Amino acid sequence: MTRIRQRFEDLRKAGRTGFVAYITAGDPDLNTTHQVVLELDRQGVDVLELGVPFSDPLADGPVIQEASQRALAAGATLEGVLSMVADVRAETEIPIVLFTYYNPIHRYGVERFVKRAADVGVDGVLMLDLPPEEGGDYIARMNEYGLDTIFLMTPTTRDDRMKLIASHTRGFVYYVSRTGVTGERDSLADEIQSKVSAICQYTDMPIAVGFGISTPEHVSEIARYADAVVVGSAIVRRVGEYQNDVDLVSKVGAFVGSLIDPLREGV
Amino acid sequence: MAVDASDLPDARGHFGPYGGQYVPETLMALLEDLEAAYREAKRDPEFWAELDRYLRDYVGRPTPLYFAERLTEELGGPKIYLKREDLAHTGAHKINHAMGQILLANRMGKTRIIAETGAGQHGVATATVAAMFGLKCEIYMGVEDMERQALNVFRMRLLGAKVTGVHSGSKTLKDAINEAIRDWVTNVEDTFYIFGSVLGPHPYPMIVRDFQRVIGVEARAQILEREGRLPDVLVACVGGGSNSIGLFHAFLDDANVQMIGVEAGGHGIASGEHAARFNGGDLGVLHGARIYVLQDDDGQIALTHSVSAGLDYSGVGPEHCYLRDMARTAYTYATDEEALSAFELLSHTEGIIPALESAHAIAHVCKLAPEMSREQIVVVNLSGRGDKDVQQAARFIEGVR
């Protein structure tokens, strides 16, 4: 059982909704990311999504685009991110998902990547632009090495595709709660609850909901019907704001802690 | 060698190992709807009759196949014919696929049009058909391209389109595509993305090819009528690859017709500043398709350089990758300097100012001609006219001298 599945099992037993945090690896540099990961673990993050920086992040809004550019400018590479995970894994058991575009993996070699990811202690991978139809080899390797393949569902995903995606996703289903790119929003999209119920008809996997969630109020709302809440851009924006601040780690940690607070009593 | 390309791509959009649909999940349903609408339109004679009518009455097709007598004499080799896509309405071949796609948008009931543009020719073509059908239109363009193609920016705005500058990445075509895709995943209900080349996720490489195929269909009939035989060589420039696939496709079964695509050599391959994907690129995944891509060792997409904004792109269409593997087509490159010489040469000898993109094809003909005999025939796709490039060329030519 992967750390991801174990964590969702623990959450279910405790009657709590999980909190998934996304940060871009290497922003502002890999050493800082290492420290932020440990801090987010201390704050109670249940699953950590580590974004692999890419030159052309076409599903991301400006906040994560800029974070990717900062990371690449600071020299982050896929190999560098994997090595950082190896280091951090010596200090924490937090479940780690790599969140990546396909080209860097394609370039690295799918099998080589999966093997290395398993070696360093990655638990799952979310490949943003690799739908199951194109991902046969990737899915086979991930299953072989015992890593979770996390796939997205979105407001445009129809029933036939829900069924297909449900059959390939492992660990959890990531429901993208709105059309569009990543980024903070003032309000949540309509119909999230009904879509989450629809997904439940096709899978027993936990359902994490993300995209546009940026305040403790949003977190409380989503927690009513999702198994986990995902926050990305709101955290990444703060990493950017504090990039030259010696207290970056504790300030980002405090913000994430405030997002998790509504979930601590069990929702 | 002949290639049976009639059944490509396969049902999932693959040309051999190339193409496919490497996109975020939000787009999968949109692509499925687009493909269904296109397959239905494709079977509908009314759709093609309507398209033919607009191509004739509005675009000005068929475009002439012109025997370039003075250029032929100057180069002292084969007879050179120019397929005059520069004479199509808006001054380039892009109008062919823009017209086809907007008719598809109408069938699907979409009310808002978006597009990316590099040189601005696809943006102008899209803005033109959007104006003609009274649809809202937004064009994404890298700010570097906006500067070097200022005339086209003005034309698009005059045509009523909103031109949105893209400041991310290299600020050129690939970044404009990123931004157009971001718009499309956001505005899924009302928006139709008119793609500008035989790139992107399936079904775009197929749709754009089918709408550009008219170039080769006409050229084939025209050369048969004029010369009573097929040409020996076809030459066209290759950015994403729409004008070249448009010329080549109708000749794929003609085993004795050689086809050459000319990429942008920029400052030369050794300089690293070029856009010759088949001379330094590797297999990768960009903008929804598995294709040849210029990239670094870490899989980050490389920045490209060409004097011609329309060829300044990191990837090349999947069908080209496949035809090259089959050895049905061949690819070479022309440098900025060679293209600018050809730009001047065609202007002097024929009174035709070519687009800098098309000048790359002419540049290759200049190299090819001395090795060919006078009895042979070359057809070059003159994909666009060069009015848009005059300022850019003037700056560069002065710089060289």
Side-chain angles (χ1 to χ4, degrees), chain B residues 132-354:
Chain B
M132 178 195 159
F133 285 100
L135 298 182
K136 259 192 313 193
C137 179
E138 183 162 358
I139 306 291
Y140 291 94
M141 189 171 189
V143 289
E144 182 174 320
D145 290 339
M146 287 177 75
E147 192 194 331
R148 53 183 171 172
Q149 302 289 347
L151 176 65
N152 275 342
V153 175
F154 179 76
R155 290 168 80 195
M156 287 184 272
R157 288 183 173 147
L158 187 63
L159 291 160
K162 181 180 176 197
V163 181
T164 301
V166 177
H167 293 264
S168 56
S170 58
K171 305 175 177 60
T172 61
L173 180 56
K174 86 176 167 68
D175 312 284
I177 296 177
N178 289 339
E179 210 54 39
I181 291 176
R182 289 180 187 123
D183 181 311
W184 199 30
V185 298
T186 308
N187 301 293
V188 298
E189 293 297 329
D190 64 343
T191 297
F192 189 102
Y193 183 2
I194 295 190
F195 218 95
S197 194
V198 286
L199 290 166
H202 177 66
Y204 279 112
M206 171 178 78
I207 290 177
V208 173
R209 174 201 70 197
D210 288 355
F211 290 142
Q212 287 297 351
R213 206 171 174 276
V214 65
I215 300 173
V217 169
E218 287 177 6
R220 195 172 182 283
Q222 287 165 322
I223 198 74
L224 284 174
E225 191 190 324
R226 183 75 187 249
E227 293 281 349
R229 72 175 187 91
L230 292 170
D232 299 282
V233 183
L234 306 177
V235 181
C237 64
V238 182
S242 63
N243 90 80
S244 44
I245 214 83
L247 176 64
F248 295 168
H249 206 260
F251 292 90
L252 286 177
D253 291 337
D254 301 318
N256 294 323
V257 178
Q258 196 191 339
M259 304 179 188
I260 303 173
V262 186
E263 298 184 282
H267 294 143
I269 304 305
S271 73
E273 295 176 355
H274 61 84
R277 291 69 41 106
F278 289 132
N279 283 278
D282 297 286
L283 197 50
V285 172
L286 178 62
H287 294 143
R290 192 157 185 252
I291 52 177
Y292 269 79
V293 177
L294 289 167
Q295 56 185 316
D296 71 11
D297 291 341
D298 195 41
Q300 307 297 336
I301 306 305
L303 302 186
T304 52
H305 165 80
S306 170
V307 68
S308 140
L311 304 183
D312 202 352
Y313 179 68
S314 321
V316 59
E319 192 161 12
H320 284 288
C321 299
Y322 177 74
L323 292 172
R324 178 173 174 264
D325 279 3
M326 297 290 107
R328 182 63 191 94
T329 53
Y331 297 84
T332 182
Y333 60 88
T335 63
D336 285 355
E337 215 170 318
E338 290 164 343
L340 281 152
S341 299
F343 179 81
E344 286 186 288
L345 177 69
L346 194 68
S347 303
H348 288 168
T349 56
E350 295 289 349
I352 297 171
I353 303 175

Side-chain angles (χ1 to χ4, degrees), chain A residues 45-167:
Chain A
V45 166
D46 293 296
V47 176
L48 183 82
E49 283 183 359
L50 263 186
V52 176
F54 182 51
S55 55
D56 292 78
L58 53 75
D60 285 302
V63 169
I64 293 177
Q65 287 175 43
E66 285 161 22
S68 276
Q69 282 171 8
R70 284 194 298 269
L72 291 173
T77 60
L78 177 57
E79 183 55 47
V81 173
L82 290 164
S83 300
M84 189 271 292
V85 173
D87 292 344
V88 92
R89 189 47 91 207
E91 299 172 68
T92 171
E93 285 298 303
I94 191 171
I96 294 178
V97 173
L98 288 188
F99 190 98
T100 182
Y101 290 85
Y102 184 41
N103 197 54
I105 308 306
H106 185 274
R107 178 74 176 178
Y108 193 90
V110 170
E111 181 164 14
R112 180 175 164 228
F113 164 74
V114 173
K115 186 174 184 308
R116 178 100 173 103
D119 281 351
V120 300
V122 166
D123 302 291
V125 177
L126 196 161
M127 207 83 89
L128 207 63
D129 52 355
L130 188 70
E133 287 93 333
E134 301 284 2
D137 184 39
Y138 156 74
I139 293 167
R141 298 298 171 202
M142 291 286 283
N143 288 338
E144 184 184 330
Y145 284 90
L147 299 187
D148 287 330
T149 48
I150 295 135
F151 285 97
L152 301 170
M153 295 194 196
T154 74
T156 61
T157 306
R158 290 184 279 245
D159 286 13
D160 55 335
R161 289 192 58 79
M162 279 193 192
K163 205 170 160 184
L164 172 80
I165 294 166
S167 72

Side-chain angles (χ1 to χ4, degrees), chain A:
Chain A
M1 184 179 272
T2 63
R3 293 181 189 86
I4 297 167
R5 296 183 211 184
Q6 184 63 56
R7 181 62 61 103
F8 276 103
E9 186 61 27
D10 295 346
L11 285 166
R12 195 182 57 78
K13 282 181 189 151
R16 278 205 307 118
T17 300
F19 186 89
V20 181
Y22 169 97
I23 55 172
T24 299
D27 170 32
D29 56 66
L30 284 166
N31 285 335
T32 306
T33 301
H34 182 135
Q35 296 309 317
V36 171
V37 172
L38 297 178
E39 172 64 18
L40 296 188
D41 186 21
R42 282 192 289 274
Q43 291 291 340
V45 166
D46 293 296
V47 176
L48 183 82
E49 283 183 359
L50 263 186
V52 176
F54 182 51
S55 55
D56 292 78
L58 53 75
D60 285 302
V63 169
I64 293 177
Q65 287 175 43
E66 285 161 22
S68 276
Q69 282 171 8
R70 284 194 298 269
L72 291 173
T77 60
L78 177 57
E79 183 55 47
V81 173
L82 290 164
S83 300
M84 189 271 292
V85 173
D87 292 344
V88 92
R89 189 47 91 207
E91 299 172 68
T92 171
E93 285 298 303
I94 191 171
I96 294 178
V97 173
L98 288 188
F99 190 98
T100 182
Y101 290 85
Y102 184 41
N103 197 54
I105 308 306
H106 185 274
R107 178 74 176 178
Y108 193 90
V110 170
E111 181 164 14
R112 180 175 164 228
F113 164 74
V114 173
K115 186 174 184 308
R116 178 100 173 103
D119 281 351
V120 300
V122 166
D123 302 291
V125 177
L126 196 161
M127 207 83 89
L128 207 63
D129 52 355
L130 188 70
E133 287 93 333
E134 301 284 2
D137 184 39
Y138 156 74
I139 293 167
R141 298 298 171 202
M142 291 286 283
N143 288 338
E144 184 184 330
Y145 284 90
L147 299 187
D148 287 330
T149 48
I150 295 135
F151 285 97
L152 301 170
M153 295 194 196
T154 74
T156 61
T157 306
R158 290 184 279 245
D159 286 13
D160 55 335
R161 289 192 58 79
M162 279 193 192
K163 205 170 160 184
L164 172 80
I165 294 166
S167 72
H168 290 294
T169 202
R170 301 282 182 275
F172 61 97
V173 174
Y174 186 139
Y175 178 62
V176 170
S177 68
R178 58 171 69 238
T179 61
V181 294
T182 55
E184 299 166 75
R185 302 293 198 286
D186 292 336
S187 61
L188 295 173
D190 302 330
E191 295 176 1
I192 298 178
Q193 186 169 6
S194 61
K195 200 77 180 187
V196 168
S197 330
I199 296 169
C200 288
Q201 295 173 5
Y202 295 100
T203 180
D204 297 329
M205 295 276 170
I207 300 170
V209 175
F211 271 47
I213 299 167
S214 42
T215 67
E217 292 71 32
H218 293 166
V219 170
S220 301
E221 165 69 19
I222 298 293
R224 288 174 39 230
Y225 37 79
D227 299 299
V229 182
V230 191
V231 179
S233 294
I235 302 171
V236 174
R237 178 161 66 80
R238 281 160 178 89
V239 173
E241 280 170 13
Y242 305 140
Q243 59 181 306
N244 298 316
D245 190 328
V246 290
D247 297 323
L248 180 151
V249 173
S250 61
K251 285 183 173 172
V252 170
F255 172 68
V256 173
S258 75
L259 292 173
I260 299 175
D261 282 340
L263 307 176
R264 295 192 198 277
E265 300 307 312
V267 185

Side-chain angles (χ1 to χ4, degrees), chain B residues 23 81 102 107 201 248 321:
Chain B
V23 294
Y81 282 86
I102 205 158
R107 276 175 87 99
F248 295 168
C321 299

